[in-house]
């Protein structure tokens, strides 16, 4: 009846199967959606979408199919409103190298930079691309995305092309790691399986055959039933993932690891950080600005028998590790090194997995620094590396 | 046989369509949504509205799919054999029926609620695929097949703690209960407290939605907490302007213990109120 709609849903990567489509048609035949398009919409949604994360996609496809709806292009006015005020204030406090300071001075200092940006945001109407003055994409103006100007402030861009902008300015919604990817996770699962520690804990609910036989025999044949608790995988894993920036290159690998870990461990918690863990981490990338968890709380909440696995490329400026205020995203009171040391102290069984090939580590000084902070427990994010890491975590 | 909400349960249009589709096509309805949006209550209300018995199966982390079908108590049989109990001869004496069995053989098609299916082991939904699809299962010990006389209306709730397998999802209808908007919430309050003061509801709802909007709350208050709070407010018989403050931010609502359930949230709230007072000075 609506093969076009069905195919459009499939194209939008909503996992609709033929069976669900037939269910919808069956329901229509049964007269569930007799009164108008709204009911039809509700019915189609209920029959075809099985995950609230796909509801938004479904709505868009539905609108497009049945109304010829088009998404309006996003304006720049909207973007201006989304720039966090805190960044404007704290930007000036950032520790800059001499070279950077000179570059900034070439445009009249930080305040001037901010002011000019505000003015241009205000004066600019509509989308702009190219050129050397207005804000847009692919220009040489210090403002905007995909530009080459080292003193630039990056706005509205999916990922940083050259990774040298002073600040990432728009609230980009980091992609949440999709844990659904099954392809290629099998090997990782098997590697992680080494971490399993079976233990009998909790209520005795399982019939203990050898125990019962032994006990019954000791009591001269009088039945004495013995029960034992079930075997559980008792390992507890805390996974901290670096996300965004230079980690974008490794997102597929991280997704695979995340997916494998999530299905492999019953006691599994994950959090995200950017470059280096500081006083706050977050659980959900879409809500990272307003739903952060204090790292201190993490330290309080999870006992030391949890195994800590950090995943990140550890590629950053040395100031991001060593100095207060070194973070590229916010003003941190205490340096990343302090927080990392606290984490390692609380969780003696810890490892850092690095997606960068091991052979390249020596070219990035920050990798050596992080590795020292982790007591040399940094391993490459490969099957062999995970194998080494799990052996170490089990010690 | 159509469900259109009840005197004590406000169902939105989309929810009604989903419920009626599930009833008409005899497929399970999977319900997700924020805590406190009435997922569990829905099954009870549908059962009441349609005049059907309700069978509730609450899932825990240790629940096995087999327990919903039946359990064979081998240990009891072994014990009885030692004591020379005559019941030992019939294996059926040691088979305890589960909730699904009860639902299948009930005289009239009941409403079966499988509550919080995500609490169980990851394999749990897969183990029930065939049983829920064909509405029959085989009892290995007695070699009989239990088949549903009439297909029960099955509601399944999930809190999203685990992903459910695709094969399972394909067999269900799905509905995500969104947090009620203000208009729906007013109707919900009205069915629970028919004689409440309108001004009290207005002020309380304004405060309630403001609290929900406070960023960084660990646990947002839900419908059931709002209803508890209103009940308390009515019992206390507060003066008409008790819920109104000149500066809403500098104001901690009375009896907030019914709304905020963690000490961090209460602290956060007090801190915000303190900051607002200081700024206001």
């Amino acid at each position: 009846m609506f093969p076009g709609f069905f195919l459009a849903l499939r194209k939008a990567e909503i996992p609709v199967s033929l069976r669900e489509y037939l269910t919808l048609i069956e329901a229509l035949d049964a007269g569930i959606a007799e009164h108008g398009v709204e009911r039809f919409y509700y019915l189609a949604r209920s029959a075809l979408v099985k995950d609230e994360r796909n509801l938004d996609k479904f709505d868009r496809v539905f609108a497009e199919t049945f109304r010829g709806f088009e998404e309006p292009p996003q304006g720049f006015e909207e973007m201006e409103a989304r720039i966090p005020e805190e960044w404007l204030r704290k930007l000036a406090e950032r520790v800059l190298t001499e070279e950077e300071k000179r570059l900034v001075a070439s445009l009249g200092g930080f305040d001037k930079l901010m002011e000019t940006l505000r003015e241009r945001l205000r004066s600019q109407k509509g989308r702009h691309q190219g050129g050397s003055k207005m804000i847009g994409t692919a220009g040489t103006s210090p403002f905007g995305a995909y530009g080459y100007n080292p003193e630039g402030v990056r706005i509205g861009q999916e990922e940083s092309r050259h990774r040298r902008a002073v600040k990432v300015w728009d609230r980009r919604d980091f992609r949440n790691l999709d844990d659904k990817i099954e392809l290629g996770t099998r090997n990782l699962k098997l590697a992680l399986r080494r971490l399993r520690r079976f233990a009998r804990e909790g209520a005795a609910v399982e019939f203990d055959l050898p125990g019962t036989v032994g006990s019954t025999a000791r009591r001269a044949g009088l039945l004495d039933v013995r029960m034992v608790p079930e075997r559980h995988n008792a390992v507890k894993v805390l996974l901290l993932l670096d996300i965004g920036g230079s980690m974008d290159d490794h997102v597929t690998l991280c997704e695979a690891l995340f997916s494998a870990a999530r299905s492999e461990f019953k006691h599994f918690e994950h959090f995200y950080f950017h470059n280096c863990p500081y006083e706050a981490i977050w659980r959900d990338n879409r809500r990272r600005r307003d739903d952060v968890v204090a790292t201190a709380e993490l330290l309080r909440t999870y006992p030391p028998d949890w195994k800590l696995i950090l995943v990140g490329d550890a590629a950053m400026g040395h100031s991001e590790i060593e100095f207060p205020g070194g973070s590229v995203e916010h003003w941190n009171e205490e340096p990343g090194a302090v927080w990392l040391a606290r984490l390692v102290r609380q969780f003696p069984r810890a490892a850092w997995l690095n997606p960068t090939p091991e052979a390249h580590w020596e070219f990035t000084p920050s990798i050596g620094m992080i590795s020292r902070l982790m007591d040399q427990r940094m391993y490459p994010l490969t099957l062999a590396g995970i194998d080494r890491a799990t052996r170490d975590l089990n010690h | 046989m159509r469900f259109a909400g009840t005197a004590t349960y406000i169902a939105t249009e989309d929810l009604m369509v989903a419920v009626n589709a599930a009833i008409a096509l005899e497929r399970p309805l999977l319900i997700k949504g924020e805590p406190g949006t009435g997922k569990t209550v829905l099954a009870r209300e549908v059962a009441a509205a349609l005049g059907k018995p309700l069978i509730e199966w609450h899932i825990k982390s240790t629940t096995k799919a087999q327990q919903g079908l039946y359990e064979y108590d081998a240990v009891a049989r072994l014990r009885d054999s030692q004591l020379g109990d005559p019941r030992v001869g019939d294996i059926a004496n040691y088979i305890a029926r589960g909730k699904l069995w009860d639902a299948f053989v009930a005289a009239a098609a009941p409403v079966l609620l499988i509550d919080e299916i995500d609490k169980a082991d990851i394999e749990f939904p897969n183990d029930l695929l065939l049983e829920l699809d064909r509405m029959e299962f085989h009892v290995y010990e007695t070699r009989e097949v239990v088949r549903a006389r009439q297909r029960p209306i099955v509601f399944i709730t999930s809190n999203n703690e685990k992903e459910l397998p695709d094969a399972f999802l394909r067999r269900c209808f799905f509905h995500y209960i969104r947090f009620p908007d203000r208009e729906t919430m007013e109707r919900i309050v009205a069915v629970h407290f028919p004689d409440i003061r309108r001004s009290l509801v207005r002020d309380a709802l304004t405060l309630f939605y403001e609290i929900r909007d406070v960023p960084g709350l660990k646990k947002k208050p839900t419908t059931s907490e709002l209803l508890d709070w209103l009940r308390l407010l009515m019992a206390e018989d507060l003066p008409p302007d008790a819920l109104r403050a000149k500066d809403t931010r500098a104001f901690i609502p009375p009896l907030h213990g019914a709304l905020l359930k963690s000490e961090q949230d209460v602290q956060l709230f007090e801190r915000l109120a303190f900051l607002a007072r200081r700024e206001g000075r």
Side-chain angles (χ1 to χ4, degrees):
Chain A
M1 226 187 296
F2 313 102
F5 180 46
F6 177 66
L7 292 175
L9 287 172
R10 300 273 310 179
K11 212 172 157 199
E13 291 179 359
I14 301 172
V16 195
S17 69
L18 202 56
R19 181 183 170 129
E20 283 154 322
Y21 179 59
L22 293 174
T23 305
L24 171 65
I25 289 172
E26 207 180 317
L28 286 171
D29 281 347
I32 307 285
E34 266 165 355
H35 306 287
V37 68
E38 203 161 282
R39 285 218 170 168
F40 170 69
Y41 160 72
Y42 292 142
L43 177 68
R45 196 178 69 185
S46 178
L48 301 176
V49 186
K50 302 297 161 69
D51 190 331
E52 65 274 17
R53 281 172 295 189
N54 290 329
L55 284 178
D56 181 51
K57 268 190 250 168
F58 176 83
D59 285 355
R60 270 181 286 157
V61 174
F62 189 90
E64 217 168 280
T65 314
F66 294 97
R67 250 181 294 159
F69 169 85
E70 269 187 355
E71 206 177 317
Q74 288 210 327
F76 276 93
E77 291 83 350
E78 214 177 308
M79 197 145 67
E80 186 181 19
R82 282 187 301 167
I83 295 168
E85 196 193 312
E86 176 209 26
W87 283 12
L88 281 172
R89 231 180 28 236
K90 292 285 166 69
L91 194 65
E93 294 169 25
R94 167 143 157 72
V95 188
L96 291 170
T97 65
E98 281 309 310
E99 194 190 359
E100 280 173 312
K101 273 180 188 156
R102 240 179 296 124
L103 283 166
V104 169
S106 74
L107 207 97
F110 250 114
D111 291 347
K112 181 81 176 135
L113 196 71
M114 292 305 127
E115 207 177 294
T116 322
L117 174 66
R118 276 211 190 105
E119 259 167 37
R120 287 198 193 162
L121 275 173
R122 226 171 284 136
S123 68
Q124 182 175 336
K125 295 267 184 285
R127 196 179 163 74
H128 182 81
Q129 193 151 4
S132 63
K133 192 169 175 208
M134 288 309 229
I135 304 163
T137 52
T140 51
S141 153
F143 307 117
Y146 302 117
Y148 288 88
N149 196 322
E151 71 210 284
V153 175
R154 202 141 50 78
I155 307 168
Q157 179 184 352
E158 201 79 19
E159 46 210 84
S160 106
R161 262 212 212 149
H162 308 291
R163 303 204 175 104
R164 42 199 255 199
V166 178
K167 277 276 182 186
V168 187
W169 244 28
D170 49 342
R171 279 183 77 142
R172 45 178 188 173
D173 298 328
F174 285 114
R175 277 168 292 180
N176 251 0
L177 289 185
D178 188 349
D179 56 307
K180 273 194 180 160
I181 294 176
E182 215 29 64
L183 210 73
T185 59
R186 170 117 195 107
N187 292 334
L188 286 172
K189 274 190 198 170
L190 288 175
L192 287 172
R193 200 154 282 183
R194 196 188 289 278
L195 271 182
R196 279 181 169 185
R197 276 284 169 272
F198 281 107
R200 292 190 185 275
E201 275 174 6
V205 289
E206 211 171 63
F207 183 61
D208 177 15
L209 186 63
T212 305
V213 169
S215 175
T216 304
R218 265 194 299 281
R219 297 179 62 174
L222 195 62
L223 183 64
D224 182 27
V225 172
R226 288 294 157 105
M227 307 291 274
V228 283
E230 250 181 307
R231 262 159 52 103
H232 286 299
N233 186 5
V235 69
K236 297 160 186 165
V237 175
L238 194 58
L239 186 68
L240 301 189
L241 294 147
D242 181 0
I243 191 139
S246 51
M247 283 299 283
D248 284 357
D249 299 348
H250 311 293
V251 77
T252 327
L253 196 54
C254 290
E255 275 169 353
L257 175 75
F258 182 70
S259 170
R262 187 163 161 158
S263 62
E264 200 52 48
F265 305 121
K266 196 168 179 189
H267 303 279
F268 172 75
E269 297 290 341
H270 71 277
F271 295 93
Y272 299 108
F273 62 95
H274 187 56
N275 281 359
C276 185
Y278 298 107
E279 68 280 352
I281 49 183
W282 57 96
R283 212 187 267 271
D284 186 344
N285 271 315
R286 275 166 302 188
R287 298 186 8 204
R288 58 174 302 199
R289 305 272 160 209
D290 43 50
D291 196 17
V292 295
V293 176
T295 310
E297 194 179 311
L298 183 87
L299 295 172
R300 280 199 304 273
T301 311
Y302 298 101
D305 63 331
W306 284 68
K307 296 179 200 296
L308 174 71
I309 301 178
L310 293 127
V311 181
D313 59 1
M316 57 194 116
H318 69 102
S319 61
E320 291 180 55
I321 304 174
E322 281 181 332
F323 299 129
S327 164
V328 284
E329 295 208 312
H330 69 296
W331 179 258
N332 53 309
E333 293 290 335
E334 289 174 294
V338 170
W339 282 109
L340 200 54
R342 282 185 189 138
L343 281 167
V344 172
R345 208 177 323 131
Q346 168 70 9
F347 304 104
R349 303 239 168 80
W352 184 298
L353 295 175
N354 194 330
T356 318
E358 202 170 0
H360 299 177
W361 286 4
E362 53 182 307
F363 304 123
T364 312
S366 59
I367 292 185
M369 292 169 70
I370 293 282
S371 182
R372 269 193 300 285
L373 285 165
M374 295 295 300
D375 304 325
Q376 306 301 334
R377 285 174 297 177
M378 182 180 283
Y379 303 94
L381 183 46
T382 58
L383 285 181
I386 293 176
D387 214 52
R388 273 158 59 201
T390 51
R391 270 170 218 274
D392 188 52
L393 285 169
N394 276 337
H395 261 294
Chain B
M1 202 163 60
R2 289 220 158 189
F3 174 69
T6 65
T8 51
Y9 191 87
I10 298 293
T12 49
E13 171 90 19
D14 49 345
L15 178 60
M16 280 191 271
V17 170
V19 170
N20 286 325
I23 294 175
L25 296 194
E26 302 180 320
R27 300 271 164 81
L29 175 62
L30 172 67
I31 308 208
K32 285 199 215 168
E34 264 189 67
T37 42
K39 296 190 288 292
T40 306
V41 184
L42 173 71
R44 285 184 203 139
E45 296 294 334
V46 170
L50 302 178
K52 289 181 177 301
L54 173 70
I55 296 176
E56 294 182 44
W57 185 17
H58 298 282
I59 308 299
K60 297 180 204 156
S61 64
T62 53
T63 307
K64 298 269 179 295
Q66 182 65 30
Q67 293 169 347
L69 309 178
Y70 67 92
E71 278 181 292
Y72 169 49
D73 194 350
V75 175
R77 192 163 179 230
L78 196 58
R79 182 198 61 214
D80 283 359
S81 75
Q82 287 209 326
L83 302 174
D85 195 307
R87 299 192 325 136
V88 155
D90 187 1
I91 201 164
N93 287 329
Y94 300 96
I95 288 183
R97 289 178 178 186
K99 300 280 185 187
L100 272 180
W101 190 330
D102 284 345
F104 285 0
V105 299
V111 173
L112 172 66
L113 168 67
I114 303 180
D115 203 15
E116 308 197 14
I117 193 166
D118 54 327
K119 291 270 181 298
D121 194 72
I122 234 154
E123 286 302 320
F124 181 89
N126 275 335
D127 293 347
L128 285 178
L129 275 185
L130 192 69
E131 283 74 12
L132 287 177
D133 209 26
R134 302 244 296 270
M135 297 279 179
E136 64 176 48
F137 60 89
H138 180 245
V139 185
Y140 176 77
E141 281 77 8
T142 58
R143 291 179 179 73
E144 66 174 312
V145 173
V146 176
R147 200 166 278 130
R149 287 190 199 162
Q150 308 94 351
R151 293 172 73 97
I153 301 167
V154 183
F155 289 95
I156 300 165
T157 70
S158 165
N159 277 322
N160 250 354
E161 278 181 25
K162 289 193 194 80
E163 306 264 329
L164 297 172
D166 287 345
F168 180 78
L169 294 176
R170 275 201 291 276
R171 288 164 169 80
C172 305
F173 279 98
F174 170 71
H175 184 74
Y176 184 81
I177 303 189
R178 265 180 312 171
F179 196 82
D181 54 13
R182 202 180 158 124
E183 197 186 318
T184 315
M185 191 59 98
E186 272 170 20
R187 284 165 59 204
I188 292 173
V189 171
V191 297
H192 281 90
F193 307 109
D195 46 356
I196 193 169
R197 268 204 331 270
R198 291 198 61 83
S199 60
L200 177 69
V201 176
R202 207 173 47 237
D203 296 343
L205 282 185
T206 308
L207 260 174
F208 175 73
Y209 280 101
E210 258 167 33
I211 292 176
R212 277 184 60 85
D213 281 344
V214 170
L217 271 194
K218 281 246 172 323
K219 184 189 166 308
K220 290 183 173 178
T222 63
T223 314
S224 56
E225 275 142 3
L226 172 72
L227 295 178
D228 285 346
W229 187 48
L230 283 172
R231 196 167 291 130
L232 279 175
L233 289 175
M234 283 166 75
E236 286 283 314
D237 210 14
L238 293 164
D241 58 347
L243 295 181
R244 248 171 277 163
K246 285 183 200 80
D247 185 358
T248 46
R249 285 183 310 156
F251 173 65
I252 300 173
L255 306 164
H256 60 264
L259 292 175
L260 303 172
K261 296 287 174 68
S262 98
E263 76 274 18
Q264 279 119 318
D265 285 353
V266 177
Q267 273 170 15
L268 173 79
F269 224 79
E270 281 165 354
R271 211 161 51 230
L272 284 177
F274 173 72
L275 285 176
R277 266 203 300 277
R278 204 173 51 180
E279 276 169 28
R281 211 179 278 161

